[in-house]
Amino acid sequence: MNAWSADPVPEQFLHGRTALERQGALVFQAKQCRNCHSLGELGGQRGPALDSVAVRLTHDQLIRQVIQGGGNMPAYGKNLSPAETTALVSFLATLHPQGQAPAREAARDVALHEEQSKHPETQP
């Protein structure tokens, strides 16, 4: 395992991000997520690389993983404020290959489709 990484989050993960997503990158760095996780092949190797984490986990799953932990990851719910958690997850949700959509909750898509079917007048 690599020791703590003071290297900044690689620029390719910051380009075109919102203020909230950039704040999440700062949380990622400040809370030393890179001790265990890598981005752009830099950082720890104890946990999985996060370059494509948004393809593997939905937004809700990212929140749960950060707060509750699981597997080899400790829970951070007591170590992050709600604002830090929101920012961090917003950043993590951007980590997917260009042109590939992030993971989505299939049940949510079905529920939204059913709701739209009930109210077609709200369709564009």
PDB file of all heavy atoms in Angstrom, residues 19-37:
ATOM      1  N   ALA A  19     -18.914  23.675  -9.223  1.00  0.00           N
ATOM      2  CA  ALA A  19     -18.295  24.091  -7.959  1.00  0.00           C
ATOM      3  C   ALA A  19     -18.474  23.014  -6.890  1.00  0.00           C
ATOM      4  O   ALA A  19     -17.550  22.717  -6.134  1.00  0.00           O
ATOM      5  CB  ALA A  19     -18.877  25.423  -7.496  1.00  0.00           C
ATOM      6  N   LEU A  20     -19.659  22.417  -6.817  1.00  0.00           N
ATOM      7  CA  LEU A  20     -19.920  21.370  -5.823  1.00  0.00           C
ATOM      8  C   LEU A  20     -19.032  20.151  -6.074  1.00  0.00           C
ATOM      9  O   LEU A  20     -18.470  19.579  -5.139  1.00  0.00           O
ATOM     10  CB  LEU A  20     -21.400  20.967  -5.835  1.00  0.00           C
ATOM     11  CG  LEU A  20     -21.807  19.873  -4.848  1.00  0.00           C
ATOM     12  CD1 LEU A  20     -21.584  20.330  -3.406  1.00  0.00           C
ATOM     13  CD2 LEU A  20     -23.265  19.483  -5.068  1.00  0.00           C
ATOM     14  N   GLU A  21     -18.903  19.764  -7.321  1.00  0.00           N
ATOM     15  CA  GLU A  21     -18.061  18.613  -7.662  1.00  0.00           C
ATOM     16  C   GLU A  21     -16.592  18.889  -7.345  1.00  0.00           C
ATOM     17  O   GLU A  21     -15.884  18.017  -6.836  1.00  0.00           O
ATOM     18  CB  GLU A  21     -18.252  18.240  -9.134  1.00  0.00           C
ATOM     19  CG  GLU A  21     -19.651  17.724  -9.414  1.00  0.00           C
ATOM     20  CD  GLU A  21     -20.050  17.764 -10.872  1.00  0.00           C
ATOM     21  OE1 GLU A  21     -19.309  18.314 -11.717  1.00  0.00           O
ATOM     22  OE2 GLU A  21     -21.141  17.240 -11.182  1.00  0.00           O
ATOM     23  N   ARG A  22     -16.143  20.117  -7.596  1.00  0.00           N
ATOM     24  CA  ARG A  22     -14.767  20.489  -7.244  1.00  0.00           C
ATOM     25  C   ARG A  22     -14.575  20.502  -5.736  1.00  0.00           C
ATOM     26  O   ARG A  22     -13.526  20.106  -5.234  1.00  0.00           O
ATOM     27  CB  ARG A  22     -14.400  21.848  -7.841  1.00  0.00           C
ATOM     28  CG  ARG A  22     -14.145  21.799  -9.322  1.00  0.00           C
ATOM     29  CD  ARG A  22     -13.838  23.187  -9.875  1.00  0.00           C
ATOM     30  NE  ARG A  22     -13.580  23.118 -11.276  1.00  0.00           N
ATOM     31  CZ  ARG A  22     -12.387  23.330 -11.830  1.00  0.00           C
ATOM     32  NH1 ARG A  22     -11.361  23.632 -11.073  1.00  0.00           N
ATOM     33  NH2 ARG A  22     -12.235  23.237 -13.123  1.00  0.00           N
ATOM     34  N   GLN A  23     -15.599  20.946  -5.013  1.00  0.00           N
ATOM     35  CA  GLN A  23     -15.539  20.891  -3.553  1.00  0.00           C
ATOM     36  C   GLN A  23     -15.407  19.437  -3.097  1.00  0.00           C
ATOM     37  O   GLN A  23     -14.663  19.138  -2.166  1.00  0.00           O
ATOM     38  CB  GLN A  23     -16.781  21.541  -2.935  1.00  0.00           C
ATOM     39  CG  GLN A  23     -16.755  21.607  -1.425  1.00  0.00           C
ATOM     40  CD  GLN A  23     -15.640  22.481  -0.888  1.00  0.00           C
ATOM     41  OE1 GLN A  23     -15.323  23.510  -1.461  1.00  0.00           O
ATOM     42  NE2 GLN A  23     -15.041  22.079   0.204  1.00  0.00           N
ATOM     43  N   GLY A  24     -16.104  18.541  -3.761  1.00  0.00           N
ATOM     44  CA  GLY A  24     -15.991  17.122  -3.454  1.00  0.00           C
ATOM     45  C   GLY A  24     -14.591  16.587  -3.692  1.00  0.00           C
ATOM     46  O   GLY A  24     -14.101  15.752  -2.931  1.00  0.00           O
ATOM     47  N   ALA A  25     -13.931  17.076  -4.738  1.00  0.00           N
ATOM     48  CA  ALA A  25     -12.543  16.681  -4.992  1.00  0.00           C
ATOM     49  C   ALA A  25     -11.642  17.151  -3.855  1.00  0.00           C
ATOM     50  O   ALA A  25     -10.712  16.436  -3.456  1.00  0.00           O
ATOM     51  CB  ALA A  25     -12.069  17.243  -6.329  1.00  0.00           C
ATOM     52  N   LEU A  26     -11.939  18.324  -3.317  1.00  0.00           N
ATOM     53  CA  LEU A  26     -11.175  18.817  -2.164  1.00  0.00           C
ATOM     54  C   LEU A  26     -11.417  17.944  -0.936  1.00  0.00           C
ATOM     55  O   LEU A  26     -10.480  17.645  -0.186  1.00  0.00           O
ATOM     56  CB  LEU A  26     -11.539  20.269  -1.864  1.00  0.00           C
ATOM     57  CG  LEU A  26     -11.051  21.301  -2.869  1.00  0.00           C
ATOM     58  CD1 LEU A  26     -11.617  22.682  -2.540  1.00  0.00           C
ATOM     59  CD2 LEU A  26      -9.532  21.341  -2.909  1.00  0.00           C
ATOM     60  N   VAL A  27     -12.655  17.533  -0.727  1.00  0.00           N
ATOM     61  CA  VAL A  27     -12.966  16.626   0.386  1.00  0.00           C
ATOM     62  C   VAL A  27     -12.224  15.314   0.181  1.00  0.00           C
ATOM     63  O   VAL A  27     -11.618  14.778   1.117  1.00  0.00           O
ATOM     64  CB  VAL A  27     -14.494  16.389   0.516  1.00  0.00           C
ATOM     65  CG1 VAL A  27     -14.801  15.290   1.528  1.00  0.00           C
ATOM     66  CG2 VAL A  27     -15.214  17.685   0.871  1.00  0.00           C
ATOM     67  N   PHE A  28     -12.258  14.803  -1.032  1.00  0.00           N
ATOM     68  CA  PHE A  28     -11.552  13.566  -1.372  1.00  0.00           C
ATOM     69  C   PHE A  28     -10.081  13.663  -0.972  1.00  0.00           C
ATOM     70  O   PHE A  28      -9.517  12.743  -0.384  1.00  0.00           O
ATOM     71  CB  PHE A  28     -11.695  13.315  -2.885  1.00  0.00           C
ATOM     72  CG  PHE A  28     -11.108  12.029  -3.365  1.00  0.00           C
ATOM     73  CD1 PHE A  28     -11.837  10.856  -3.296  1.00  0.00           C
ATOM     74  CD2 PHE A  28      -9.837  11.993  -3.911  1.00  0.00           C
ATOM     75  CE1 PHE A  28     -11.302   9.659  -3.758  1.00  0.00           C
ATOM     76  CE2 PHE A  28      -9.297  10.802  -4.374  1.00  0.00           C
ATOM     77  CZ  PHE A  28     -10.027   9.640  -4.293  1.00  0.00           C
ATOM     78  N   GLN A  29      -9.471  14.802  -1.277  1.00  0.00           N
ATOM     79  CA  GLN A  29      -8.061  15.002  -0.956  1.00  0.00           C
ATOM     80  C   GLN A  29      -7.863  15.229   0.548  1.00  0.00           C
ATOM     81  O   GLN A  29      -7.019  14.586   1.168  1.00  0.00           O
ATOM     82  CB  GLN A  29      -7.514  16.202  -1.737  1.00  0.00           C
ATOM     83  CG  GLN A  29      -6.017  16.358  -1.627  1.00  0.00           C
ATOM     84  CD  GLN A  29      -5.262  15.239  -2.309  1.00  0.00           C
ATOM     85  OE1 GLN A  29      -5.714  14.656  -3.285  1.00  0.00           O
ATOM     86  NE2 GLN A  29      -4.095  14.916  -1.786  1.00  0.00           N
ATOM     87  N   ALA A  30      -8.659  16.104   1.145  1.00  0.00           N
ATOM     88  CA  ALA A  30      -8.484  16.474   2.555  1.00  0.00           C
ATOM     89  C   ALA A  30      -8.747  15.304   3.502  1.00  0.00           C
ATOM     90  O   ALA A  30      -8.092  15.188   4.539  1.00  0.00           O
ATOM     91  CB  ALA A  30      -9.394  17.647   2.910  1.00  0.00           C
ATOM     92  N   LYS A  31      -9.691  14.455   3.158  1.00  0.00           N
ATOM     93  CA  LYS A  31     -10.023  13.311   4.015  1.00  0.00           C
ATOM     94  C   LYS A  31      -9.165  12.090   3.699  1.00  0.00           C
ATOM     95  O   LYS A  31      -9.379  11.011   4.213  1.00  0.00           O
ATOM     96  CB  LYS A  31     -11.511  12.960   3.902  1.00  0.00           C
ATOM     97  CG  LYS A  31     -12.422  14.079   4.372  1.00  0.00           C
ATOM     98  CD  LYS A  31     -12.195  14.400   5.840  1.00  0.00           C
ATOM     99  CE  LYS A  31     -13.142  15.496   6.293  1.00  0.00           C
ATOM    100  NZ  LYS A  31     -13.043  15.766   7.715  1.00  0.00           N
ATOM    101  N   GLN A  32      -8.167  12.302   2.850  1.00  0.00           N
ATOM    102  CA  GLN A  32      -7.149  11.308   2.529  1.00  0.00           C
ATOM    103  C   GLN A  32      -7.711  10.015   1.932  1.00  0.00           C
ATOM    104  O   GLN A  32      -7.225   8.917   2.198  1.00  0.00           O
ATOM    105  CB  GLN A  32      -6.302  11.021   3.766  1.00  0.00           C
ATOM    106  CG  GLN A  32      -5.643  12.262   4.301  1.00  0.00           C
ATOM    107  CD  GLN A  32      -4.866  12.028   5.577  1.00  0.00           C
ATOM    108  OE1 GLN A  32      -4.667  10.906   5.999  1.00  0.00           O
ATOM    109  NE2 GLN A  32      -4.411  13.107   6.185  1.00  0.00           N
ATOM    110  N   CYS A  33      -8.721  10.150   1.094  1.00  0.00           N
ATOM    111  CA  CYS A  33      -9.286   8.984   0.407  1.00  0.00           C
ATOM    112  C   CYS A  33      -8.219   8.292  -0.446  1.00  0.00           C
ATOM    113  O   CYS A  33      -8.291   7.086  -0.676  1.00  0.00           O
ATOM    114  CB  CYS A  33     -10.462   9.398  -0.468  1.00  0.00           C
ATOM    115  SG  CYS A  33     -11.824  10.161   0.446  1.00  0.00           S
ATOM    116  N   ARG A  34      -7.224   9.078  -0.859  1.00  0.00           N
ATOM    117  CA  ARG A  34      -6.176   8.530  -1.719  1.00  0.00           C
ATOM    118  C   ARG A  34      -5.184   7.658  -0.954  1.00  0.00           C
ATOM    119  O   ARG A  34      -4.307   7.057  -1.551  1.00  0.00           O
ATOM    120  CB  ARG A  34      -5.469   9.659  -2.448  1.00  0.00           C
ATOM    121  CG  ARG A  34      -6.447  10.271  -3.467  1.00  0.00           C
ATOM    122  CD  ARG A  34      -5.865  11.362  -4.254  1.00  0.00           C
ATOM    123  NE  ARG A  34      -4.888  10.826  -5.194  1.00  0.00           N
ATOM    124  CZ  ARG A  34      -4.110  11.604  -5.912  1.00  0.00           C
ATOM    125  NH1 ARG A  34      -4.194  12.905  -5.808  1.00  0.00           N
ATOM    126  NH2 ARG A  34      -3.253  11.082  -6.746  1.00  0.00           N
ATOM    127  N   ASN A  35      -5.319   7.588   0.370  1.00  0.00           N
ATOM    128  CA  ASN A  35      -4.504   6.614   1.098  1.00  0.00           C
ATOM    129  C   ASN A  35      -4.835   5.207   0.621  1.00  0.00           C
ATOM    130  O   ASN A  35      -3.961   4.353   0.558  1.00  0.00           O
ATOM    131  CB  ASN A  35      -4.761   6.690   2.604  1.00  0.00           C
ATOM    132  CG  ASN A  35      -4.087   7.876   3.240  1.00  0.00           C
ATOM    133  OD1 ASN A  35      -3.326   8.597   2.621  1.00  0.00           O
ATOM    134  ND2 ASN A  35      -4.389   8.091   4.508  1.00  0.00           N
ATOM    135  N   CYS A  36      -6.098   4.984   0.332  1.00  0.00           N
ATOM    136  CA  CYS A  36      -6.565   3.643  -0.051  1.00  0.00           C
ATOM    137  C   CYS A  36      -6.990   3.539  -1.505  1.00  0.00           C
ATOM    138  O   CYS A  36      -7.005   2.448  -2.063  1.00  0.00           O
ATOM    139  CB  CYS A  36      -7.744   3.228   0.839  1.00  0.00           C
ATOM    140  SG  CYS A  36      -7.303   3.052   2.579  1.00  0.00           S
ATOM    141  N   HIS A  37      -7.385   4.645  -2.103  1.00  0.00           N
ATOM    142  CA  HIS A  37      -7.924   4.628  -3.468  1.00  0.00           C
ATOM    143  C   HIS A  37      -7.042   5.440  -4.415  1.00  0.00           C
ATOM    144  O   HIS A  37      -6.503   6.468  -4.038  1.00  0.00           O
ATOM    145  CB  HIS A  37      -9.332   5.235  -3.500  1.00  0.00           C
ATOM    146  CG  HIS A  37     -10.315   4.495  -2.674  1.00  0.00           C
ATOM    147  ND1 HIS A  37     -10.873   3.303  -3.065  1.00  0.00           N
ATOM    148  CD2 HIS A  37     -10.843   4.777  -1.460  1.00  0.00           C
ATOM    149  CE1 HIS A  37     -11.711   2.882  -2.138  1.00  0.00           C
ATOM    150  NE2 HIS A  37     -11.709   3.757  -1.142  1.00  0.00           N
TER     151      HIS A  37
END
